[in-house]
Amino acid sequence: SGYEVFGVQNQARVVTEGIDHTEGVGGTGFYEDYFANEEYSVSALGSDVEMNSGGAAIVAISKSGGNEFTGMFHLSYEPGEWVGDNNNDELRARGFTGNPNLLFWEVHADVGGRIVRDKLWFFGAYNHFKIDKVVSGVPQELATDVGIFDNYTGKGTWKAGVNNTLIGYYQQGRKQKPQ
């Protein structure tokens, strides 16, 4: 996933929990699990001094649990018959056959809470989504563009003292292109 701001490309920084996971010079190295994040800051040009580039700055903080146990479950489903087709005669004449989604579905679950009240908290999340798209000019019987994505997020937070907090953070993204 790449970012562009005011015509500036390849100068983005993507940071989660203080960890720069920019891939190359312009995008993120994996598909984000946006449900697992608590806060985002997006700035375009003129970011603060912590950013070492002039382009987009995308900074995220993941959820961290808290004194109350909380969780979330999300399910999205979109079959191909729900997708509109805006292809027209001019595009068809140029060989474009369209590339609508044939199937999209996503499931997300997370849970967080306290281990020790006011001192130690945990958070964990799992996100899975699958998308199957038509490839323009390729018969569906021959091939489609299938993507299967799994994201895992874990975070532990320890309030060691009045001025000290220790955070352990783990995030993994897995992308499969079976065809």
Side-chain angles (χ1 to χ4, degrees), residues 28-153:
T28 181
F30 62 94
Y31 292 85
E32 292 274 351
D33 176 4
Y34 291 101
F35 294 108
N37 289 327
E38 182 74 29
E39 182 179 319
Y40 286 97
S41 170
V42 179
S43 37
L45 300 174
S47 300
D48 64 27
V49 295
E50 292 180 348
M51 285 299 154
N52 60 355
S53 70
I58 298 90
V59 179
I61 302 296
S62 64
K63 295 178 183 177
S64 60
N67 283 329
E68 301 300 320
F69 289 99
T70 60
M72 182 178 85
F73 179 79
H74 171 87
L75 177 65
S76 296
Y77 174 73
E78 178 187 283
E81 18 329 316
W82 293 359
V83 177
D85 181 6
N86 62 354
N87 204 358
N88 58 38
D89 292 336
E90 179 185 342
L91 292 172
R92 281 192 227 20
R94 296 172 58 194
F96 183 70
T97 59
N99 62 342
N101 292 347
L102 299 171
L103 173 69
F104 172 83
W105 71 276
E106 177 178 32
V107 64
H108 171 91
D110 67 42
V111 65
R114 73 173 179 270
I115 298 171
V116 177
R117 180 176 287 282
D118 298 327
K119 286 283 189 191
L120 188 61
W121 305 273
F122 76 95
F123 173 77
Y126 172 70
N127 186 278
H128 172 87
F129 73 91
K130 178 179 181 178
I131 187 165
D132 188 5
K133 294 181 64 111
V134 171
V135 178
S136 181
V138 178
Q140 289 182 35
E141 312 79 59
L142 183 59
T144 60
D145 182 15
V146 177
I148 302 169
F149 304 85
D150 292 286
N151 288 324
Y152 307 89
T153 304

Side-chain angles (χ1 to χ4, degrees), residues 143-169:
T144 60
D145 182 15
V146 177
I148 302 169
F149 304 85
D150 292 286
N151 288 324
Y152 307 89
T153 304
K155 184 175 178 181
T157 307
W158 175 39
K159 184 74 172 169
V162 176
N163 297 319
N164 299 301
T165 302
L166 181 65
I167 295 173
Y169 169 74

